[in-house]
Amino acid sequence: MYENFSDNILLIGHKTRLTMLIELSSGIALPAGELAKLAGIKPQTASEHLSKLVEANFISVNTWGRHRYYKIDNDKVIDAINALSVISPPMNSKSLKETTKKEKLSYIRTCYGHIAGKIGVKFTEALLENDYLKEKEECYKLTQNGKNWLKKIGMETEKSMYSKSIPKHIDWTERKNHMAGPVALQITEKMIELSWIENSEINRCLNLTKKGKSAFKTYLNMNIPQ
């Protein structure tokens, strides 16, 4: 265990480790081999970095068969990753494939399961403009109009979490806030169910569908950025 917070910040400030943590920020467990490929390093090097992150309790590890799967279990780690990513984005494009991935991640992606990127920020802004969200100093709150709108698209808002504060996350590509936490996760899952967005073959990326573009315009008067 690392003894103080400053040690931990230095630990995740390392570009390779930060890249692997960002790849894990979808909330999905990934094997060491895949994380090595995503970070562009050798498996042995990846294992060394991952061991340090496990030791510092930034990630957890589970062994299934011959593979070790790593996952972020604490959304406070996500907050730290986002904050560091804003200061020093870890991804450098070295090929057309990496450039395409960076563009897709910037446009629309998941952050610990909820929608993020340019579309995620615009979605949050549209909720605010329609008085579905109210912005507080450190969080958002769903309004009654917001609860009614969520019911309109088929969500049940009687659960206690819909009355609680909704966290803000600084989006590391947009440098603006988007909504986060359990409510944002539920909304994102509902939008996937409605086929407004869909999971991409690229880790953490989403695709905005034609139906989604139409729905965002119809239900939120949201202009879709290119």
Side-chain angles (χ1 to χ4, degrees):
M1 176 69 66
Y2 289 81
E3 294 180 359
N4 57 59
F5 186 72
S6 61
D7 284 339
N8 291 345
I9 288 297
L10 291 173
L11 182 71
I12 64 174
H14 189 284
K15 205 154 194 173
T16 297
R17 290 192 284 268
L18 183 55
T19 297
M20 290 194 290
L21 285 170
I22 287 179
E23 294 295 346
L24 289 170
S25 66
S26 63
I28 299 171
L30 294 174
E34 184 171 346
L35 286 167
K37 289 180 182 178
L38 290 167
I41 57 177
K42 295 179 180 179
Q44 183 178 354
T45 304
S47 295
E48 292 172 0
H49 286 303
L50 290 166
S51 294
K52 291 179 180 180
L53 293 171
V54 170
E55 185 181 353
N57 287 336
F58 280 115
I59 58 176
S60 61
V61 58
N62 287 294
T63 302
W64 295 334
R66 294 183 299 171
H67 299 285
R68 293 164 67 83
Y69 284 79
Y70 296 85
K71 187 177 181 182
I72 297 174
D73 296 315
N74 190 337
D75 57 6
K76 290 182 180 179
V77 176
I78 300 296
D79 291 337
I81 294 167
N82 285 333
L84 282 172
S85 298
V86 168
I87 299 168
S88 178
M91 185 186 298
N92 291 318
S93 300
K94 298 177 182 177
S95 65
L96 177 60
K97 183 177 180 180
E98 288 185 5
T99 299
T100 300
K101 178 179 179 178
K102 186 174 182 178
E103 289 174 351
K104 285 181 174 290
L105 285 171
S106 298
Y107 188 65
I108 180 170
R109 65 179 183 277
T110 56
C111 172
Y112 216 57
H114 63 261
I115 189 171
K118 185 176 290 187
I119 296 298
V121 168
K122 289 293 183 184
F123 176 68
T124 296
E125 291 175 346
L127 293 178
L128 290 166
E129 290 167 4
N130 284 275
D131 191 36
Y132 296 158
L133 275 185
K134 284 290 186 186
E135 187 167 13
K136 307 291 184 180
E137 187 174 346
E138 296 183 352
C139 65
Y140 301 110
K141 292 280 286 188
L142 265 179
T143 65
Q144 187 57 50
N145 287 339
K147 292 180 181 180
N148 292 340
W149 181 76
L150 291 178
K151 287 179 182 178
K152 189 182 294 186
I153 65 170
M155 295 183 65
E156 297 180 7
T157 58
E158 287 73 23
K159 297 177 181 178
S160 61
M161 70 175 178
Y162 289 96
S163 297
K164 295 180 179 179
S165 298
I166 298 173
K168 291 180 179 179
H169 273 182
I170 285 284
D171 194 283
W172 63 268
T173 53
E174 292 299 296
R175 270 59 169 182
K176 295 180 180 179
N177 289 319
H178 63 253
M179 64 188 299
V183 172
L185 176 60
Q186 291 292 315
I187 293 173
T188 302
E189 289 177 347
K190 186 64 180 181
M191 290 194 291
I192 291 174
E193 181 186 321
L194 293 170
S195 298
W196 293 6
I197 55 178
E198 60 187 15
N199 290 309
S200 169
E201 71 282 357
I202 301 174
N203 184 47
R204 293 185 299 120
C205 290
L206 293 168
N207 295 323
L208 176 61
T209 67
K210 185 179 292 186
K211 183 177 180 181
K213 290 181 181 180
S214 176
F216 283 149
K217 182 65 177 177
T218 300
Y219 289 108
L220 292 168
N221 195 30
M222 178 175 157
N223 292 318
I224 306 299
Q226 298 301 315

